[in-house]
Amino acid sequence: MRTPFLAGALAALLVPAAPRAELPKLALGARLGYAAAAGDAAKGVPMKDFTIASQVPLQLDATARVWRELDAGAYVSYGFGQVDRRSIFGNCAAAEFSCSGHAWRLGAQAIYSFRGLALPVPVVPWAGAALGWQWATVEGKAPIGASTVSLNGLELGLQAGASWRVSERLAVGPYLSLALGRYRAGEVTVAGSASSRGGVVDKTFHEWLGAGVAGKLDL
């Protein structure tokens, strides 16, 4: 009579231990695209009149799997800016002025991949959100010295895209993005000497509408 009891006790003691949770899946990414500005840098001041009108951003991503198909991590972006002739108080239209611009973006993002969808093509749609800080600078060079306008502020972004698996660890595909920003502070330098720094008066919102190609490498 003791044998069934002992067998049951041994079975209970020898239940396999639960497997250890897997470490987060790490990935590095890169994006190249184009983004156009919309809205105002300050109330009543269009973006193209006071800062860069568009940019070609190069972005680097670093993410880790945090839950099911949800990745979270950081991003940094440098944008090669295009400057409208009306920028720097209209001086960029002058023949003696040579204007250029750039933008930086830094922040955190979360991306969810919809791997469970039954699609007729081998593609994985994804969508995400980002929160970070942005800096934009326009510089105009002239014989009397360089003049610059620099602005910075918070941005909230939404993004979506699709990825094709081109190898076991590499995926590429297109993306679309929409960022809502608000410049908080800035600095203006005139002819390389007179400088003014402070908060933006009459703060308002502007947008960046972007599209491009994104790649991700699983580590």
Side-chain angles (χ1 to χ4, degrees):
M1 296 295 293
R2 293 182 181 179
T3 302
F5 175 80
L6 292 175
L10 288 173
L13 290 174
L14 297 178
V15 172
R20 294 183 179 180
E22 294 184 0
L23 292 174
K25 192 173 184 179
L26 304 179
L28 296 177
R31 308 185 195 185
L32 180 64
Y34 174 82
D40 293 345
K43 189 174 181 180
V45 183
M47 288 283 284
K48 65 176 63 177
D49 289 4
F50 207 65
T51 184
I52 58 176
S54 60
Q55 59 175 297
V56 177
L58 174 60
Q59 178 172 316
L60 300 178
D61 304 312
T63 60
R65 183 67 44 83
V66 294
W67 180 76
R68 293 187 178 179
E69 302 300 331
L70 179 65
D71 296 337
Y75 69 90
V76 60
S77 171
Y78 178 84
F80 301 90
Q82 290 78 52
V83 181
D84 190 88
R85 292 169 58 85
R86 290 176 288 183
S87 192
I88 310 188
F89 314 103
N91 286 313
C92 287
E96 65 272 16
F97 251 71
S98 174
C99 292
S100 61
H102 65 269
W104 283 97
R105 298 168 52 245
L106 176 67
Q109 62 180 337
I111 298 173
Y112 189 86
S113 299
F114 299 92
R115 300 183 189 278
L117 297 180
L119 299 176
V121 291
V123 60
V124 177
W126 58 268
L131 178 65
W133 206 260
Q134 57 171 329
W135 298 262
T137 299
V138 173
E139 181 181 23
K141 296 181 180 179
I144 60 173
S147 297
T148 61
V149 175
S150 298
L151 299 168
N152 67 84
L154 189 69
E155 73 167 5
L156 172 64
L158 298 177
Q159 51 192 335
S163 296
W164 278 266
R165 184 67 60 175
V166 296
S167 71
E168 183 179 352
R169 296 193 301 164
L170 179 63
V172 297
Y175 76 88
L176 297 173
S177 64
L178 170 62
L180 179 66
R182 190 181 189 189
Y183 289 130
R184 177 180 177 272
E187 182 177 4
V188 177
T189 302
V190 179
S193 55
S195 179
S196 176
R197 178 185 300 177
V200 174
V201 180
D202 293 332
K203 300 178 182 65
T204 189
F205 292 97
H206 62 271
E207 301 82 38
W208 287 100
L209 308 174
V213 178
K216 186 176 77 168
L217 177 66
D218 296 327
L219 301 181

